[in-house]
Amino acid sequence: MTNTVQAFILTTLAGFSTMIGTLFIFFKKKDTLVMKALAFAAGVMITVSLTDLIPEGQSLLKTHVNSWTVIFITFLFLLIGILISISINHYLPESSENNSKLYRVGIISMLAIIIHNIPEGIATFITSSHNLSLGISLSIAIALHNIPEGISISIPIFYASKSRKKAIFYTFISGMSELFGALLAFFLLGSIITESIMGMIYITIAGIMIHISLNELLPTSLNYHFEKKSLLYFGLGVGVMLINHYCF
């Protein structure tokens, strides 16, 4: 089996792990399930941004520019990411679902994670193509943090629409965007995307995810008036991703 085929397989498996998050929609409904899922997802996204995306982006940039320029670029592209997130929220059309706010949270999470997964798929494919052992480690880490991302999409959409098919479909689209990133890398971008460009992309994604977490996921969770539980599950999301970061 060639490295290219193995790289495609690893990227696909990492992306498909997002679907594990949809298993929670088959649990017996509990009033606090949505609250827990949104708070947990907020913790996951913020931690991924602060411990993985921003440091990795800065590390890639440091190979080409000095430290002060890296700091400036970090703030600039974090701001760009936040503005992109604000634009997504502003221009996303209103939903006809009964719980429009919750449905929008699911859709916004899906869009953010797709934007996150495409460069992640590019990175996984390129890494696996050149170093299979490193690619396997990277795929495992990505698979682990994709599970709570699947939760953050499927649970809001399911409880807003009462449709498991919609929840599974949107989560599937999000997960398979990793494979789309691998295809882009294989056919178009492998020789075009530089380390500096990848660094800027990672930092932009961090800005998007931080804004969504603080502006959509966590506030919506707190609206269920279980503030202590929301903060507990937010902390649990942070803890899970810290363990993932330092162990893998």
Side-chain angles (χ1 to χ4, degrees), residues 75-236:
F75 279 106
L76 175 62
F77 281 88
L78 277 173
L79 178 61
I80 290 172
I82 291 169
L83 292 175
I84 290 172
S85 178
I86 291 171
S87 298
I88 290 172
N89 190 29
H90 179 73
Y91 290 106
L92 189 69
E94 289 294 331
S95 168
S96 60
E97 304 294 342
N98 292 330
N99 195 334
S100 177
K101 172 65 176 176
L102 189 57
Y103 193 80
R104 283 171 64 85
V105 167
I107 295 297
I108 290 170
S109 295
M110 179 194 72
L111 293 174
I113 291 167
I114 286 173
I115 295 169
H116 170 206
N117 282 355
I118 291 174
E120 198 173 72
I122 293 170
T124 304
F125 178 81
I126 292 174
T127 302
S128 301
S129 297
H130 292 88
N131 186 329
L132 185 58
S133 178
L134 182 59
I136 290 172
S137 298
L138 179 62
S139 298
I140 291 171
I142 289 171
L144 289 174
H145 87 244
N146 277 354
I147 295 171
E149 289 178 357
I151 294 171
S152 71
I153 299 169
S154 59
I155 287 182
I157 289 177
F158 171 65
Y159 283 110
S161 67
K162 310 302 180 187
S163 170
R164 287 190 173 92
K165 288 182 179 179
K166 280 187 178 181
I168 291 171
F169 175 69
Y170 286 127
T171 308
F172 177 78
I173 291 174
S174 169
M176 288 302 98
S177 62
E178 297 240 8
L179 177 59
F180 179 69
L183 291 169
L184 282 178
F186 180 72
F187 288 110
L188 298 173
L189 303 177
S191 60
I192 298 174
I193 291 187
T194 64
E195 287 186 340
S196 295
I197 291 174
M198 284 299 296
M200 294 173 192
I201 290 173
Y202 281 140
I203 294 168
T204 303
I205 294 164
I208 293 171
M209 296 183 80
I210 289 171
H211 180 264
I212 286 172
S213 298
L214 296 178
N215 189 62
E216 296 288 341
L217 298 177
L218 194 56
T220 304
S221 176
L222 291 169
N223 282 341
Y224 284 82
H225 304 297
F226 295 97
E227 288 84 359
K228 289 183 179 179
K229 286 187 176 180
S230 288
L231 295 176
L232 174 63
Y233 277 85
F234 175 82
L236 183 61

Side-chain angles (χ1 to χ4, degrees), residues 11-62:
T11 307
T12 302
L13 290 175
F16 193 76
S17 65
T18 309
M19 297 299 293
I20 297 173
T22 64
L23 295 176
F24 288 84
I25 66 176
F26 294 96
F27 289 4
K28 185 177 179 180
K29 182 178 179 180
K30 297 179 181 179
D31 291 339
T32 58
L33 183 58
V34 175
M35 173 274 296
K36 293 175 182 177
L38 295 177
F40 182 80
V44 166
M45 288 191 180
I46 289 175
T47 307
V48 166
S49 297
L50 296 179
T51 63
D52 289 304
L53 294 175
I54 293 175
E56 178 63 21
Q58 291 178 326
S59 177
L60 292 170
L61 288 168
K62 282 178 182 176

